[in-house]
Amino acid sequence: MWPFRRERGGDLRRTEDCCSEVRRVLLTREQTIEYKLLSAEGKHGDPRWPAFAARYGFDPQHPVQWEVETLEPAELQRLVLAAVDPYIDRQVLAQQIAREEEQRRALAAFVRGWGAAERT
């Protein structure tokens, strides 16, 4: 089950104790300004727009939106990796990578053996 629900205004709120915090990574208002991203016309009738407009000082009658895809792919990747990097346990990651490599070797050996079994 998805442990979040949308609040009025579009914000995600935690509904279970699986996460200690929810942090907006992309796309923030500051990033739309920093990267000079052009806005597009938003969806009229979006029930989240009035609260969003009030929070950020937009005209509630003229919805706008920004698409994260307008960022350069390399920059998008850099921003996401920078956001998650502080939360990565390097020891656990190294153990998992070693485990995956072990599984790859075992699978490759199995596949090589599969063909040998058919030839006999």
Side-chain angles (χ1 to χ4, degrees), residues 109-120:
F110 174 78
V111 169
R112 283 191 304 273
W114 186 280
E118 288 179 355
R119 289 188 293 265
T120 59

Side-chain angles (χ1 to χ4, degrees), residues 6 23 69 76 118:
R6 282 220 182 262
R23 182 173 299 185
E69 295 85 2
L76 177 59
E118 288 179 355

